[in-house]
Amino acid sequence: MNPARPDNLARDEADGVEPRDSAAHDPRIDRLEAESIHIFREVAAEFARPVLLFSGGKDSICLLRLAEKAFHPLKIPFPLLHVDTGHNFPEVLGFRDRRAAELGARLVVRRVEDSIAAGRAVERAGPHGSRNRLQTVTLLDAIREFRFDAAFGGARRDEEKARAKARVYSFRDANGQWDPKNQRPELWNLYNGRHHAGEHIRVFPLSNWTELDVWHYIGREGLEIPSIYFAHEREVVARDGVLMPVSDLVPLQPGESSELRRVRFRTVGDVTCTACVASDADTVAAIIDETSVTRVTERGSRVDDKASEAAMEERKREGYF
Amino acid sequence: MDLLRFSTAGSVDDGKSTLIGRLLHDAKGIFEDQLEAVRRASGDDAAPDLALLTDGLRAEREQGITIDVAYRYFATPERKFIIADTPGHEQYTRNMATGASTAEASVILVDARKGLQPQSRRHTCIAHLLGIRHLVFAVNKMDLVDYDADRFALLREEILAFCEHLGADTPVIIPVSALVGDNVVSHGDNMPWYRGPCLLDHLESIDPVAEDAAAALRYPVQLVLRGDDDFRGYAGTVATGRVRPGDRVTALPSGLETTVRRIHTADGPLEAAGPGQSVALQLADELDISRGDMLVAGTRPQARRRIDATLIWMDHAPLRPGRPYQLKHATRQVRTRVAAVHGRTDVVSLDEHPAESLGLNEIGRVTLDCAQPLQVDAYEDNRTTGGFILIDLETNATVAAGLVAREQSVTTVEVFDDAQDIDRAARERQQQHRGGVLWLTGLPGTGKRYLARELERRLFRRGLRACVLDADALRAGLSDDLGFTVDDRTENLRRAAEVAKLLVGTGQIVIADFMTPTAEQRTRVRSIVGDGDYIEVFVDSPAEAYATRDPHGLYLRARAAEGDNVASIDVPYERPAAADVVLEVADTGVEAGVTRLLDEIAGRGWLGDAG
Ligand SMILES: Nc1nc2c(ncn2[C@@H]2O[C@H](COP(=O)(O)OP(=O)(O)O)[C@@H](O)[C@H]2O)c(=O)[nH]1
């Protein structure tokens, strides 16, 4: 191999070839931002009732900033929807409410708890009883309730193989299902949002962003993110090859023992299925450095994807975010 | 660090997946857990099958072919790459076009043993057609031809000849072995006779921008941002050219001129904006500009209703000449019909054959007839103002990609102009707009009636033939034999629908204002009027209005004249599940409702040039 080649994903950052705040004039980030803003505006112009799915995670925080910029100086012309699994990190909920209030945005919260109580969703028991799957029911119910016709999500194509094929406008039928074999061709930036009543379109403005791009953007925009993204001490247990945070919802199994480690989260989802990574990175810059040399995908820290290789594809078909 | 988007294409088994896997692997664009999944799938003792890295969907794994565009990302210190990895199989050529539409470069695979296969020719042709200037050929599996320089020279000649015939720029041709790794990321030892760049070096050196500084400004308006204060910004993305405060610009289609006052962004005003930048332009004068309009400077695009274009057909159902399709061009949507198919291009021989239609994956030249003029440039000159898509009105599928031709015919194609009878088409041609029915359904007290009258007034003022049809009008004569039983009301609705249909036959835009409480009635009306002429508008009201009881005693007080407008206890109002337009006039006001309906019918091309 040519020694002049990089030996990590993006050595410019790790090597300090570019100054840390280079993202401020990084044409790559500018282009990604402009493309996302274009998508937000198309949807606002062509749909009657869009909604932004806001989880409080870093991707949806970027999404929110892009929406803010797309319509500036006006307020974001659609509500935010949070599907609350009831298994959230408390830091994330507080953050969510504060951010929505700052933006003057309407926040709608729908709880998986309520879907379960109403008999619309049935909880799986056991240590892998994640509510990720159940979110789908609550989400689709909310979409029906408000007759949302477009829902922005923060998914990126670099996250996982099935997502690599997802369109920016992802059509969902009246049952909220995705048909990966029958996607509409998507040419240039001419998005086809036509749909019949009851159907809707999932829109992914971050499609072409990578995990590293997202971190650069958080750094450059000075975005506030929940504290659990930064290195902190936490009681964890090594399970299935990943570090799981120990909590009431994720108790120790017989024979397991926990330890106190310095960790951070790369994604924040349902407490029961979000693993953390050992890390000392306690600033965005440090996280960028770590991400630049990281050898495991972000989804590698999500337990629910490991269940099967086709897990994500399966969930997407069912209408998962 | 900048960004390069490239697409990859090749025939099945040429080694495209392996090549991308190699590129990602050697440039360290692969994560450990991905590699581990591949190792697991490859079997224990085998070397990891790099192709598995890029084969996404389960269906594909089962069939062993790559069916859809997959996007990959990797970065080197030089730039970030977005790969649109497109399928090799002939039946998915449309996905190849999808991937190529946003690419600045295209890497085309050729198996060194087989030479330029029909699929590779097809891909080259599509890449060229879609305006990709940087064509790169990776002649793969050189290890299987003993890294033979003569064999490569022969293939090189074949490729160069094809590209020349096509009229494409001179391609870069690189001998590689995706499996072994030679000339992909580094040169390796097997082909010392090759002195050109390796693939990654070349991809790093391509200048993606190729921005023509002198290109004329094209700025399609996406959205008007109107604030409480005086703020009014025209949001959009610059397609080509540059814009600066103080520049004179022309708004199309109105042709009015004004000056750019300020380039607004959330991060503060800009001194200039160029291609790809999303901004909001503030203008010196208050012009009536809305979504779908375009701000231009320098040479003007052509305003054309009749457009000569190349279509890449992407749907299983073949093109049907004369049938209406929805066309999306920049930020504007209009109705269109294919007036004539001139021929189908054989992308292997590049010959044109006579054709009356186009099937899946076929490419041909056509003439389109649009309901309103579009501001177009030749696709070669401008991807944004020269490209469009066609959408099927029933399935909503994207059925074709269109490329506006440089040569536009001057004479009118006489396909629709030979009518002998004074039929609906002839009338519509003369009046320059289409007829149709807007069927307003909803409870009384929703503002439906005002909406109908206001819309009628607005259409009338524009010189369009429109009329309101309501229960009062029918009850006053045609239906004076009917009472207010459920059966009689249903019969009244049937008559209303038949009258609307007759009026549409004369070219009228009928605004029908009838409560039409049940789904069954609405289905009936729709089938009488005909799907293509019927727009169901549901005028929604606050939830409490839907109580099946009659809180205001309206039913009891019902007088003959308002009998059709009162919800009854025995026939409660059923909310439409599939209305084409839903309005909440009580919330938004009549004006917003009228605007929405005007947009809807303009979008469907009913307004013709007057839209
Ligand atoms: N000998 C040799 N085999 C190759 C090379 N590139 C790919 N292959 C093999 O060719 C077959 C098809 O490759 P694949 O990447 O799946 O082709 P695709 O259909 O174009 O994606 C696989 O068995 C590969 O291992 C190469 O450079 N040399």
Side-chain angles (χ1 to χ4, degrees), chain A residues 45-264:
Chain A
E46 291 201 324
F47 289 80
R49 277 175 299 278
V51 65
L52 188 150
L53 306 179
F54 185 71
S55 67
K58 67 178 191 315
D59 298 318
S60 66
I61 288 169
C62 284
L63 207 58
L64 201 56
R65 167 61 118 224
L66 290 160
E68 192 186 348
K69 286 194 168 188
F71 306 105
H72 188 274
L74 277 56
K75 284 200 178 128
I76 298 174
F78 37 76
L80 318 181
L81 170 67
H82 181 224
V83 175
D84 183 349
T85 60
H87 290 175
N88 298 287
F89 294 93
E91 297 91 326
V92 175
L93 290 192
F95 178 84
R96 173 198 77 190
D97 296 341
R98 219 172 44 250
R99 197 65 192 112
E102 271 165 29
L103 289 169
R106 185 169 145 231
L107 175 68
V108 177
V109 177
R110 286 293 175 270
R111 297 185 171 76
V112 172
E113 203 71 53
D114 297 338
S115 303
I116 295 170
R120 304 268 305 133
V122 181
E123 192 148 30
R124 246 192 323 161
H128 287 293
S130 144
R131 285 186 171 173
N132 262 4
R133 247 167 202 276
L134 304 186
Q135 294 181 63
T136 307
V137 175
T138 313
L139 171 67
L140 294 179
D141 284 352
I143 285 174
R144 259 187 292 271
E145 178 186 349
F146 293 96
R147 294 184 288 136
F148 291 131
D149 50 3
F152 293 101
R156 307 187 318 265
R157 285 173 179 150
D158 77 324
E159 281 178 75
E160 197 268 344
K161 272 205 253 178
R163 283 196 172 160
K165 311 223 164 185
R167 303 286 193 253
V168 173
Y169 273 33
S170 182
F171 172 81
R172 304 302 157 104
D173 66 16
N175 298 314
Q177 308 242 328
W178 181 55
D179 181 359
K181 272 185 157 179
N182 198 15
Q183 301 195 79
R184 295 177 181 172
E186 201 162 77
L187 292 118
W188 303 289
N189 57 5
L190 289 178
Y191 303 108
N192 173 4
R194 287 182 67 96
H195 60 280
H196 297 293
E199 301 168 342
H200 73 279
I201 308 277
R202 280 315 152 76
V203 183
F204 301 115
L206 299 181
S207 287
N208 287 322
W209 297 56
T210 60
E211 185 185 11
L212 196 58
D213 295 330
V214 165
W215 280 114
H216 274 302
Y217 197 63
I218 288 169
R220 124 171 171 173
E221 298 291 311
L223 296 179
E224 193 194 338
I225 52 170
S227 53
I228 57 171
Y229 279 111
F230 299 108
H232 57 281
E233 300 276 325
R234 190 179 281 268
E235 187 187 354
V236 295
V237 55
R239 183 184 291 167
D240 303 334
V242 296
L243 293 178
M244 292 297 294
V246 177
S247 66
D248 292 350
L249 292 165
V250 187
L252 288 179
Q253 301 291 301
E256 285 182 342
S257 63
S258 69
E259 52 185 329
L260 207 58
R261 298 271 303 259
R262 207 164 155 69
V263 296
R264 66 178 173 90

Side-chain angles (χ1 to χ4, degrees), chain A residues 5 9 26 31 34-35 38 41-42 46 69 164-165 186 188 191-192 196 208 213 295 297 313, chain B residues 1 5 30 32-33 58 60 71 73 75 80 101 104 201 222 237 267 278-279 328 333 394 398:
Chain A
R5 287 291 140 226
L9 180 59
D26 189 337
R31 251 181 103 176
E35 181 182 275
H38 180 87
R41 290 169 168 176
E42 275 303 288
E46 291 201 324
K69 286 194 168 188
K165 311 223 164 185
E186 201 162 77
W188 303 289
Y191 303 108
N192 173 4
H196 297 293
N208 287 322
D213 295 330
R295 309 296 308 134
T297 59
E313 190 188 331
Chain B
M1 180 156 62
R5 294 172 193 256
I30 291 171
E32 286 300 337
D33 52 338
R58 173 187 288 185
E60 299 174 353
Y71 295 86
Y73 307 83
K80 169 176 168 168
S101 72
E104 291 130 356
D201 277 340
Q222 264 189 301
T237 304
D267 298 310
S278 292
V279 297
K328 186 169 183 185
Q333 293 201 27
E394 272 162 40
T398 303

Side-chain angles (χ1 to χ4, degrees), chain B residues 419 421-435 465 502-508:
Chain B
D421 306 322
I422 308 305
D423 58 4
R424 174 175 169 190
R427 287 177 209 278
E428 289 181 342
R429 257 198 317 278
Q430 188 194 50
Q431 71 190 23
Q432 300 267 303
H433 74 84
R434 195 180 177 291
R465 301 182 57 235
L502 287 172
L503 289 170
V504 170
T506 70
Q508 293 263 4

Side-chain angles (χ1 to χ4, degrees), chain A residues 1-2 4-13 17-18 26-35 37-46 48-49 68-74 147 156-167 169 171 178 180-199 207-211 213 216 220-221 266 291 294-301 306 308-311 313-314 317, chain B residues 1-5 26-34 37 40-41 52-61 63 66-77 80 82 94-95 97-98 101-102 104 130 185-186 200-201 204 222-223 225-227 231 235-237 264-267 276-280 291 314 326 328-331 333 335 379 383 387-389 391-398 400-403 540 575 577-579 582 584:
Chain A
M1 195 181 137
N2 187 335
R5 287 291 140 226
D7 54 16
N8 59 50
L9 180 59
R11 212 177 51 174
D12 52 335
E13 290 86 9
V17 169
E18 291 178 47
D26 189 337
R28 163 191 58 152
I29 300 287
D30 288 343
R31 251 181 103 176
L32 292 171
E33 181 187 67
E35 181 182 275
I37 287 176
H38 180 87
I39 294 164
F40 269 111
R41 290 169 168 176
E42 275 303 288
V43 172
E46 291 201 324
R49 277 175 299 278
E68 192 186 348
K69 286 194 168 188
F71 306 105
H72 188 274
L74 277 56
R147 294 184 288 136
R156 307 187 318 265
R157 285 173 179 150
D158 77 324
E159 281 178 75
E160 197 268 344
K161 272 205 253 178
R163 283 196 172 160
K165 311 223 164 185
R167 303 286 193 253
Y169 273 33
F171 172 81
W178 181 55
K181 272 185 157 179
N182 198 15
Q183 301 195 79
R184 295 177 181 172
E186 201 162 77
L187 292 118
W188 303 289
N189 57 5
L190 289 178
Y191 303 108
N192 173 4
R194 287 182 67 96
H195 60 280
H196 297 293
E199 301 168 342
S207 287
N208 287 322
W209 297 56
T210 60
E211 185 185 11
D213 295 330
H216 274 302
R220 124 171 171 173
E221 298 291 311
R266 292 176 71 190
T291 307
T294 250
R295 309 296 308 134
V296 177
T297 59
E298 187 180 302
R299 295 220 146 246
S301 57
K306 292 221 160 174
S308 90
E309 250 233 70
E313 190 188 331
E314 199 96 291
R317 279 179 199 271
Chain B
M1 180 156 62
D2 68 356
L3 192 61
L4 181 83
R5 294 172 193 256
D26 287 5
K28 296 287 187 281
I30 291 171
F31 292 114
E32 286 300 337
D33 52 338
Q34 292 175 329
R40 237 183 291 141
L52 290 178
L53 280 169
T54 58
D55 270 347
L57 302 178
R58 173 187 288 185
E60 299 174 353
R61 255 166 285 150
Q63 293 170 23
T66 311
I67 57 169
D68 210 333
V69 192
Y71 295 86
R72 322 270 162 211
Y73 307 83
F74 73 103
T76 69
K80 169 176 168 168
I82 300 181
R94 59 181 175 157
N95 296 323
T98 300
S101 72
T102 51
E104 291 130 356
L130 284 163
V185 169
S186 53
L200 187 60
D201 277 340
E204 284 180 336
Q222 264 189 301
L223 194 64
L225 301 177
R226 210 174 266 126
F231 185 89
T237 304
H264 174 86
T265 75
D267 298 310
Q277 277 182 278
S278 292
V279 297
R291 174 176 169 82
M314 303 186 152
Q326 187 80 355
K328 186 169 183 185
H329 170 258
T331 54
Q333 293 201 27
R335 281 296 145 100
Y379 181 80
R383 279 197 198 187
F388 59 86
I389 56 172
I391 300 167
D392 186 286
L393 290 165
E394 272 162 40
T395 64
N396 289 334
T398 303
L403 315 169
D540 204 351
R575 300 175 61 90
V582 179
E584 280 161 53

